[in-house]
Amino acid sequence: MSNHPSRPKSQSEELSFSEVCALLDDAAQAGCLWLLFTGGEPLVRPDFVEIYTYAKKKGFLITLFTNGTLLTEKLADYLQECSPYLVEITLYGVTRETHERVTRVSGSFKQSLRGIHRLLERGIPLNLKTMAMTINRHEIRDMEKFAKQLGVKFRFDPIINAPFNGSREALGLRLTPEQVLKLELADDRRVDNYRELCRKFNGALGAEGIYGCGAGLYNFHIDPYGQMSICMNARWPSYDLRRGSLSDGFYNFFPQVRSQKPKSSYPCGHCDLHSLCNNCPGTAYAEVGDPEAVVDYYCRIAHLRAEALGLKSPT
């Protein structure tokens, strides 16, 4: 079990092809159906095609998150032949200047667009998405229009969470709570989704532990080094699959994680706005090192959302 991120790891410490295949065998045997390859950038692995092929043969429905820069003609041809359930490509702007101001990689905008069009030409299921931040928020609506012109769906995430490596550089690009709300209110579908969430999950969590979501029940995360956690956002504690099994991690370790009782008054557990809030034990831990902390940034956004929807905010 790991309780905190250790030193940065090298590529040589990643799971080998045979180790990945063994995990896919275990997941298939356990009844897993949906599989997401994400990163970082999953296509940087030289054996990605071999891993993908093995997963397809095991019957998984595969979603691939990528920036599109490594989608060569050859790889696109293969994905046409052996199609994933969905590919999502991240754009950071509709202009080269904005996109590459985020990526800091010259030529990345052109490469991403090339990858997008290679998938579209082959009829591979594709969505576009972006992370909204201070340096690209003026192009969010133009990105949505661009996706519509291509005939694909588009979504944006308006909130940058604290990175797991302890760096705070990215947080300087965060939108203010007021800017987040302004973007969201301009998206009717998002507003409707929030109303539906409030209707379905009205009131406080009512959970005995600090986890009131489906993390570790309906989904889980495995990093490149074999650390298994209940969620991509809740990385600690984690279970070392090189020293145990996927089954033991899911059926024995995860229940221990989810059974953690609050050590404090845990106000988030009693808040009626949990369905509108991005704070959770995982994001709070990454933010301030305390899974039970109330993170003011997330809290302010939740209250602004509630006010905009005409809901009564708790004091």
Side-chain angles (χ1 to χ4, degrees):
M1 183 177 77
S2 173
N3 291 302
H4 195 276
S6 58
R7 61 175 175 80
K9 296 181 179 179
S10 67
Q11 188 174 2
S12 64
E13 295 175 275
E14 292 184 4
L15 294 169
S16 66
F17 174 70
S18 60
E19 287 175 319
V20 172
C21 290
L23 289 177
L24 291 172
D25 288 340
D26 291 345
Q29 179 65 33
C32 292
L33 180 61
W34 296 94
L35 179 64
L36 167 62
F37 287 122
T38 184
E41 174 52 58
L43 300 188
V44 299
R45 275 197 66 132
D47 57 357
F48 170 78
V49 170
E50 288 76 13
I51 291 173
Y52 178 91
T53 302
Y54 194 86
K56 283 289 289 185
K57 289 180 178 179
K58 300 299 293 188
F60 290 102
L61 295 173
I62 300 173
T63 298
L64 172 62
F65 286 179
T66 175
N67 60 33
T69 60
L70 299 177
L71 282 166
T72 63
E73 292 279 1
K74 182 179 179 180
L75 179 55
D77 285 343
Y78 180 74
L79 292 177
Q80 181 182 29
E81 177 186 343
C82 194
S83 182
Y85 175 80
L86 178 68
V87 178
E88 285 199 350
I89 290 182
T90 302
L91 276 182
Y92 294 105
V94 290
T95 63
R96 179 186 61 80
E97 292 77 14
T98 298
H99 182 87
E100 293 183 7
R101 188 179 174 193
V102 178
T103 66
R104 302 179 186 178
V105 178
S106 178
S108 59
F109 182 62
K110 183 178 180 180
Q111 291 172 325
S112 290
L113 290 182
R114 189 161 49 202
I116 289 170
H117 287 291
R118 282 172 175 164
L119 296 184
L120 290 174
E121 289 164 1
R122 291 161 175 81
I124 297 169
L126 173 67
N127 287 349
L128 298 183
K129 61 182 177 179
T130 196
M131 174 61 68
M133 56 191 81
T134 57
I135 57 180
N136 75 350
R137 68 186 180 97
H138 62 290
E139 293 188 4
I140 298 295
R141 296 306 159 205
D142 289 333
M143 281 187 261
E144 186 174 21
K145 292 177 183 177
F146 174 67
K148 188 174 182 179
Q149 291 170 356
L150 296 177
V152 301
K153 293 181 179 180
F154 170 81
R155 65 182 176 92
F156 67 89
D157 188 340
I159 298 177
I160 296 176
N161 294 323
F164 304 116
N165 61 7
S167 171
R168 289 296 182 264
E169 181 182 5
L171 300 188
L173 301 177
R174 263 181 176 172
L175 300 180
T176 66
E178 291 73 20
Q179 289 170 335
V180 168
L181 187 69
K182 184 177 180 179
L183 268 182
E184 292 185 328
L185 290 181
D187 186 336
D188 292 338
R189 289 176 302 174
R190 187 177 290 259
V191 173
D192 289 342
N193 286 340
Y194 282 136
R195 292 190 186 279
E196 183 65 11
L197 280 172
C198 292
R199 186 186 68 80
K200 288 184 176 180
F201 305 104
N202 187 37
L205 284 171
E208 293 185 4
I210 63 175
Y211 294 98
C213 60
L217 296 177
Y218 313 114
N219 55 70
F220 58 90
H221 175 261
I222 300 174
D223 76 7
Y225 313 102
Q227 293 297 321
M228 180 181 177
S229 54
I230 65 170
C231 174
M232 194 167 186
N233 283 332
R235 302 284 187 93
W236 310 287
S238 63
Y239 179 90
D240 189 351
L241 287 167
R242 280 177 163 148
R243 297 184 178 182
S245 68
L246 188 145
S247 178
D248 182 52
F250 190 87
Y251 290 107
N252 295 316
F253 175 71
F254 280 2
Q256 294 176 31
V257 175
R258 289 189 55 88
S259 66
Q260 293 179 80
K261 300 292 191 296
K263 298 177 182 178
S264 65
S265 59
Y266 193 41
C268 291
H270 308 288
C271 180
D272 290 339
L273 301 185
H274 73 92
S275 59
L276 297 175
C277 189
N278 291 73
N279 197 38
C280 71
T283 54
Y285 187 88
E287 191 87 20
V288 297
D290 179 0
E292 299 178 35
V294 176
V295 179
D296 291 341
Y297 179 72
Y298 300 129
C299 192
R300 173 63 178 158
I301 291 172
H303 280 77
L304 287 174
R305 287 169 175 164
E307 292 169 14
L309 293 173
L311 302 176
K312 182 179 180 181
S313 299
T315 56

Coordinates of all heavy atoms in Angstrom, one line a residue, residues 153-208:
K153 N -19.2 15.8 -30.9 CA -19.5 16.4 -29.6 C -18.3 17.1 -29.0 O -17.2 16.7 -29.3 CB -20.1 15.3 -28.7 CG -21.4 14.7 -29.1 CD -21.8 13.7 -28.1 CE -23.2 13.1 -28.5 NZ -23.6 12.0 -27.5
F154 N -18.6 18.1 -28.2 CA -17.6 18.8 -27.5 C -18.0 19.0 -26.0 O -19.2 19.2 -25.7 CB -17.4 20.2 -28.2 CG -16.5 21.2 -27.4 CD1 -15.2 21.1 -27.5 CD2 -17.1 22.1 -26.6 CE1 -14.3 21.9 -26.8 CE2 -16.3 23.0 -25.9 CZ -14.9 22.9 -26.0
R155 N -17.0 19.0 -25.2 CA -17.2 19.3 -23.8 C -16.0 20.0 -23.2 O -14.9 19.9 -23.7 CB -17.5 18.0 -22.9 CG -16.3 17.0 -22.9 CD -16.7 15.8 -22.1 NE -15.7 14.8 -22.0 CZ -14.8 14.7 -21.1 NH1 -14.8 15.6 -20.1 NH2 -13.9 13.7 -21.1
F156 N -16.2 20.8 -22.2 CA -15.1 21.5 -21.5 C -15.2 21.2 -20.0 O -16.2 21.1 -19.4 CB -15.1 23.0 -21.8 CG -16.3 23.7 -21.2 CD1 -16.2 24.3 -19.9 CD2 -17.5 23.9 -21.9 CE1 -17.3 25.0 -19.4 CE2 -18.5 24.6 -21.4 CZ -18.4 25.1 -20.1
D157 N -14.0 21.2 -19.4 CA -13.9 21.1 -18.0 C -13.4 22.5 -17.5 O -12.3 22.9 -17.8 CB -12.9 20.0 -17.6 CG -12.9 19.7 -16.1 OD1 -13.3 20.6 -15.3 OD2 -12.4 18.7 -15.7
P158 N -14.2 23.1 -16.7 CA -13.9 24.5 -16.3 C -13.0 24.6 -15.0 O -12.6 25.7 -14.6 CB -15.2 25.1 -16.0 CG -16.0 24.0 -15.4 CD -15.5 22.7 -16.2
I159 N -12.6 23.4 -14.4 CA -11.9 23.5 -13.2 C -10.6 22.7 -13.2 O -10.6 21.5 -13.5 CB -12.8 23.0 -12.0 CG1 -14.0 23.8 -11.9 CG2 -12.0 22.9 -10.7 CD1 -15.0 23.3 -10.8
I160 N -9.5 23.4 -13.0 CA -8.2 22.7 -12.9 C -8.0 22.2 -11.5 O -8.0 23.0 -10.5 CB -7.1 23.7 -13.3 CG1 -7.2 24.1 -14.8 CG2 -5.7 23.0 -13.0 CD1 -6.2 25.1 -15.2
N161 N -7.9 20.9 -11.3 CA -7.6 20.4 -10.0 C -6.1 20.4 -9.7 O -5.2 20.5 -10.7 CB -8.0 18.9 -9.9 CG -9.5 18.8 -10.0 OD1 -10.3 19.6 -9.5 ND2 -10.0 17.7 -10.7
A162 N -5.7 20.4 -8.5 CA -4.3 20.4 -8.1 C -3.6 19.1 -8.6 O -4.1 18.0 -8.5 CB -4.1 20.5 -6.6
P163 N -2.4 19.3 -9.3 CA -1.7 18.1 -9.7 C -1.3 17.2 -8.6 O -1.1 17.6 -7.5 CB -0.5 18.7 -10.4 CG -0.9 20.1 -10.8 CD -1.8 20.5 -9.6
F164 N -1.1 15.9 -8.9 CA -0.8 14.9 -7.9 C 0.7 15.0 -7.5 O 1.1 14.4 -6.5 CB -1.1 13.5 -8.4 CG -2.5 13.3 -8.8 CD1 -2.9 13.1 -10.1 CD2 -3.5 13.4 -7.9 CE1 -4.2 12.9 -10.5 CE2 -4.9 13.3 -8.3 CZ -5.2 13.0 -9.6
N165 N 1.5 15.6 -8.3 CA 2.9 15.7 -8.0 C 3.3 16.8 -7.1 O 4.5 17.0 -6.8 CB 3.7 15.8 -9.3 CG 3.4 17.1 -10.1 OD1 2.7 17.9 -9.6 ND2 4.0 17.2 -11.3
G166 N 2.4 17.6 -6.6 CA 2.6 18.6 -5.7 C 2.9 20.0 -6.3 O 3.0 21.0 -5.6
S167 N 3.1 20.0 -7.6 CA 3.3 21.3 -8.3 C 2.1 22.2 -8.3 O 1.0 21.7 -8.3 CB 3.7 21.0 -9.8 OG 3.8 22.2 -10.5
R168 N 2.3 23.5 -8.2 CA 1.2 24.4 -8.1 C 1.2 25.3 -9.3 O 0.4 26.3 -9.4 CB 1.3 25.2 -6.8 CG 1.0 24.4 -5.6 CD -0.5 24.0 -5.6 NE -0.9 23.2 -4.5 CZ -0.9 21.9 -4.4 NH1 -0.5 21.2 -5.4 NH2 -1.4 21.3 -3.3
E169 N 2.1 25.1 -10.3 CA 2.2 25.9 -11.5 C 0.9 26.0 -12.2 O 0.4 27.1 -12.6 CB 3.3 25.4 -12.4 CG 3.5 26.3 -13.6 CD 4.5 25.8 -14.6 OE1 5.0 24.6 -14.3 OE2 4.8 26.4 -15.6
A170 N 0.2 24.9 -12.5 CA -1.0 24.9 -13.2 C -2.1 25.7 -12.6 O -3.0 26.2 -13.3 CB -1.5 23.5 -13.5
L171 N -2.1 25.8 -11.2 CA -3.2 26.5 -10.5 C -3.2 28.0 -10.8 O -4.2 28.6 -10.6 CB -3.1 26.2 -9.0 CG -3.1 24.8 -8.6 CD1 -3.2 24.7 -7.1 CD2 -4.3 24.1 -9.2
G172 N -2.1 28.5 -11.3 CA -2.0 29.9 -11.7 C -2.9 30.2 -13.0 O -3.1 31.3 -13.3
L173 N -3.3 29.1 -13.7 CA -4.1 29.2 -14.9 C -5.6 29.0 -14.6 O -6.4 29.0 -15.5 CB -3.7 28.2 -15.9 CG -2.2 28.4 -16.4 CD1 -1.9 27.3 -17.4 CD2 -2.0 29.8 -17.0
R174 N -5.9 28.8 -13.3 CA -7.3 28.5 -12.9 C -8.2 29.7 -13.2 O -7.8 30.9 -13.0 CB -7.4 28.2 -11.4 CG -7.4 26.8 -11.0 CD -7.5 26.7 -9.5 NE -7.7 25.3 -9.1 CZ -7.6 24.9 -7.8 NH1 -7.4 25.8 -6.9 NH2 -7.7 23.6 -7.5
L175 N -9.4 29.4 -13.6 CA -10.5 30.4 -13.7 C -10.9 30.8 -12.3 O -10.9 29.9 -11.4 CB -11.6 30.0 -14.5 CG -11.4 29.6 -16.0 CD1 -12.7 29.1 -16.7 CD2 -10.7 30.7 -16.8
T176 N -11.4 32.0 -12.1 CA -12.0 32.3 -10.8 C -13.3 31.6 -10.7 O -13.9 31.2 -11.8 CB -12.2 33.8 -10.7 OG1 -13.2 34.3 -11.7 CG2 -10.9 34.6 -10.9
P177 N -13.9 31.5 -9.6 CA -15.2 30.9 -9.4 C -16.3 31.6 -10.3 O -17.1 31.0 -10.9 CB -15.5 31.0 -8.0 CG -14.2 30.9 -7.3 CD -13.3 31.6 -8.2
E178 N -16.1 32.9 -10.4 CA -17.1 33.7 -11.1 C -16.9 33.4 -12.6 O -17.9 33.4 -13.4 CB -16.9 35.2 -10.8 CG -17.3 35.6 -9.5 CD -16.4 35.2 -8.4 OE1 -15.2 34.9 -8.7 OE2 -16.8 35.2 -7.2
Q179 N -15.7 33.3 -13.1 CA -15.5 32.9 -14.5 C -16.0 31.6 -14.8 O -16.5 31.3 -15.9 CB -14.0 33.1 -14.8 CG -13.5 34.5 -14.8 CD -11.9 34.6 -14.9 OE1 -11.2 33.6 -14.5 NE2 -11.4 35.7 -15.4
V180 N -15.8 30.6 -13.9 CA -16.3 29.3 -14.1 C -17.9 29.3 -14.3 O -18.4 28.7 -15.3 CB -16.0 28.4 -12.9 CG1 -16.8 27.0 -13.0 CG2 -14.5 28.1 -12.8
L181 N -18.5 30.0 -13.4 CA -20.0 30.1 -13.5 C -20.4 30.8 -14.8 O -21.4 30.3 -15.4 CB -20.5 30.9 -12.3 CG -22.1 30.9 -12.2 CD1 -22.6 29.5 -11.9 CD2 -22.5 31.9 -11.2
K182 N -19.8 31.8 -15.2 CA -20.1 32.5 -16.5 C -20.0 31.6 -17.7 O -20.9 31.5 -18.5 CB -19.2 33.7 -16.7 CG -19.6 34.5 -17.9 CD -18.7 35.8 -18.0 CE -19.1 36.6 -19.3 NZ -18.3 37.8 -19.4
L183 N -19.0 30.8 -17.7 CA -18.9 29.8 -18.8 C -20.0 28.8 -18.8 O -20.6 28.4 -19.8 CB -17.5 29.1 -18.7 CG -16.3 29.6 -19.5 CD1 -15.1 28.7 -19.3 CD2 -16.6 29.8 -21.0
E184 N -20.3 28.3 -17.6 CA -21.2 27.2 -17.4 C -22.7 27.7 -17.7 O -23.4 27.0 -18.3 CB -21.2 26.6 -16.0 CG -19.9 25.9 -15.7 CD -19.9 25.2 -14.4 OE1 -20.5 25.8 -13.4 OE2 -19.3 24.2 -14.2
L185 N -23.0 28.9 -17.3 CA -24.3 29.4 -17.6 C -24.6 29.6 -19.0 O -25.8 29.7 -19.5 CB -24.6 30.7 -16.8 CG -24.7 30.5 -15.3 CD1 -24.9 31.9 -14.6 CD2 -25.8 29.6 -14.9
A186 N -23.6 29.7 -19.8 CA -23.7 29.9 -21.3 C -23.9 28.6 -22.0 O -24.2 28.5 -23.2 CB -22.5 30.6 -21.9
D187 N -23.9 27.5 -21.2 CA -24.1 26.1 -21.8 C -25.4 25.6 -21.2 O -25.4 25.1 -20.1 CB -22.9 25.3 -21.4 CG -22.9 23.9 -22.0 OD1 -24.0 23.4 -22.4 OD2 -21.8 23.3 -22.1
D188 N -26.4 25.6 -22.0 CA -27.7 25.2 -21.5 C -27.7 23.7 -21.1 O -28.4 23.3 -20.1 CB -28.8 25.4 -22.6 CG -29.1 26.9 -22.9 OD1 -28.8 27.7 -22.0 OD2 -29.6 27.2 -24.0
R189 N -27.0 22.9 -21.8 CA -27.0 21.4 -21.5 C -26.4 21.2 -20.1 O -26.8 20.4 -19.4 CB -26.2 20.7 -22.6 CG -27.0 20.5 -23.9 CD -26.1 19.8 -24.9 NE -24.8 20.5 -25.1 CZ -23.9 20.1 -25.9 NH1 -24.0 18.9 -26.5 NH2 -22.7 20.8 -26.0
R190 N -25.3 22.0 -19.9 CA -24.7 21.8 -18.6 C -25.6 22.2 -17.4 O -25.7 21.6 -16.4 CB -23.4 22.6 -18.6 CG -22.5 22.4 -17.3 CD -21.2 23.2 -17.4 NE -20.3 22.7 -18.4 CZ -19.3 21.9 -18.1 NH1 -19.0 21.6 -16.9 NH2 -18.5 21.5 -19.1
V191 N -26.3 23.3 -17.6 CA -27.2 23.8 -16.6 C -28.3 22.8 -16.4 O -28.7 22.5 -15.2 CB -27.8 25.2 -17.0 CG1 -28.9 25.6 -16.0 CG2 -26.7 26.2 -17.1
D192 N -28.8 22.2 -17.5 CA -29.9 21.2 -17.3 C -29.3 20.0 -16.6 O -30.0 19.3 -15.8 CB -30.4 20.7 -18.7 CG -31.2 21.8 -19.4 OD1 -31.7 22.7 -18.7 OD2 -31.4 21.7 -20.6
N193 N -28.1 19.6 -16.8 CA -27.4 18.5 -16.1 C -27.3 18.7 -14.6 O -27.6 17.8 -13.8 CB -26.1 18.2 -16.7 CG -26.1 17.5 -18.1 OD1 -27.1 16.9 -18.5 ND2 -25.1 17.6 -18.8
Y194 N -27.0 20.0 -14.3 CA -26.9 20.3 -12.9 C -28.3 20.2 -12.2 O -28.4 19.7 -11.1 CB -26.3 21.7 -12.7 CG -24.8 21.8 -12.8 CD1 -24.2 22.8 -13.6 CD2 -24.0 20.8 -12.2 CE1 -22.8 22.9 -13.7 CE2 -22.6 20.9 -12.4 CZ -22.0 21.9 -13.1 OH -20.7 21.9 -13.3
R195 N -29.3 20.7 -12.9 CA -30.6 20.6 -12.3 C -31.0 19.1 -12.1 O -31.6 18.8 -11.1 CB -31.6 21.3 -13.3 CG -31.5 22.8 -13.4 CD -32.6 23.4 -14.2 NE -32.4 24.8 -14.4 CZ -32.7 25.8 -13.5 NH1 -33.1 25.4 -12.3 NH2 -32.5 27.0 -13.8
E196 N -30.7 18.3 -13.1 CA -31.0 16.8 -13.0 C -30.2 16.2 -11.8 O -30.8 15.4 -11.1 CB -30.7 16.1 -14.3 CG -31.0 14.7 -14.3 CD -32.5 14.4 -14.2 OE1 -33.3 15.3 -14.3 OE2 -32.9 13.2 -14.0
L197 N -29.0 16.6 -11.6 CA -28.2 16.1 -10.5 C -28.8 16.5 -9.2 O -28.9 15.6 -8.3 CB -26.7 16.6 -10.6 CG -25.8 15.9 -11.6 CD1 -24.5 16.7 -11.7 CD2 -25.5 14.5 -11.2
C198 N -29.2 17.7 -9.1 CA -29.8 18.2 -7.9 C -31.1 17.4 -7.6 O -31.5 17.1 -6.4 CB -30.1 19.7 -7.9 SG -28.6 20.7 -7.9
R199 N -31.9 17.1 -8.6 CA -33.1 16.4 -8.5 C -32.9 15.0 -8.0 O -33.6 14.5 -7.1 CB -33.9 16.4 -9.8 CG -35.3 15.7 -9.7 CD -35.9 15.6 -11.1 NE -35.2 14.6 -11.9 CZ -35.4 13.3 -11.8 NH1 -36.3 12.8 -10.8 NH2 -34.8 12.4 -12.5
K200 N -31.9 14.3 -8.6 CA -31.6 12.9 -8.2 C -30.9 12.8 -6.9 O -31.0 11.8 -6.1 CB -30.8 12.3 -9.3 CG -31.5 12.0 -10.6 CD -30.6 11.2 -11.6 CE -31.4 10.9 -12.8 NZ -30.5 10.1 -13.8
F201 N -30.0 13.7 -6.6 CA -29.1 13.6 -5.4 C -29.2 14.8 -4.5 O -28.3 15.4 -4.1 CB -27.6 13.4 -5.9 CG -27.4 12.3 -6.8 CD1 -27.2 12.5 -8.2 CD2 -27.4 11.0 -6.4 CE1 -27.0 11.5 -9.1 CE2 -27.2 9.9 -7.3 CZ -27.0 10.2 -8.6
N202 N -30.5 15.1 -4.2 CA -30.8 16.2 -3.3 C -30.4 15.9 -1.9 O -30.6 14.7 -1.4 CB -32.2 16.6 -3.4 CG -32.6 17.8 -2.6 OD1 -31.8 18.8 -2.6 ND2 -33.7 17.8 -2.0
G203 N -29.8 16.8 -1.1 CA -29.5 16.6 0.3 C -28.1 16.2 0.5 O -27.3 16.0 -0.5
A204 N -27.7 16.0 1.7 CA -26.3 15.6 2.1 C -26.1 14.2 1.7 O -27.0 13.4 1.4 CB -26.1 15.8 3.6
L205 N -24.8 13.9 1.7 CA -24.3 12.5 1.3 C -25.0 11.4 2.1 O -25.4 10.4 1.5 CB -22.8 12.4 1.4 CG -22.0 13.1 0.3 CD1 -20.5 13.1 0.7 CD2 -22.2 12.4 -1.0
G206 N -25.0 11.6 3.4 CA -25.6 10.5 4.2 C -24.7 9.3 4.3 O -25.2 8.3 4.8
A207 N -23.5 9.4 3.9 CA -22.6 8.2 4.0 C -21.9 8.2 5.4 O -21.6 9.3 6.0 CB -21.5 8.3 2.9
E208 N -21.6 7.0 5.9 CA -20.9 6.9 7.2 C -19.4 7.2 7.0 O -18.8 7.7 8.0 CB -21.1 5.5 7.7 CG -22.5 5.1 8.1 CD -22.6 3.8 8.8 OE1 -21.5 3.2 9.0 OE2 -23.7 3.4 9.1

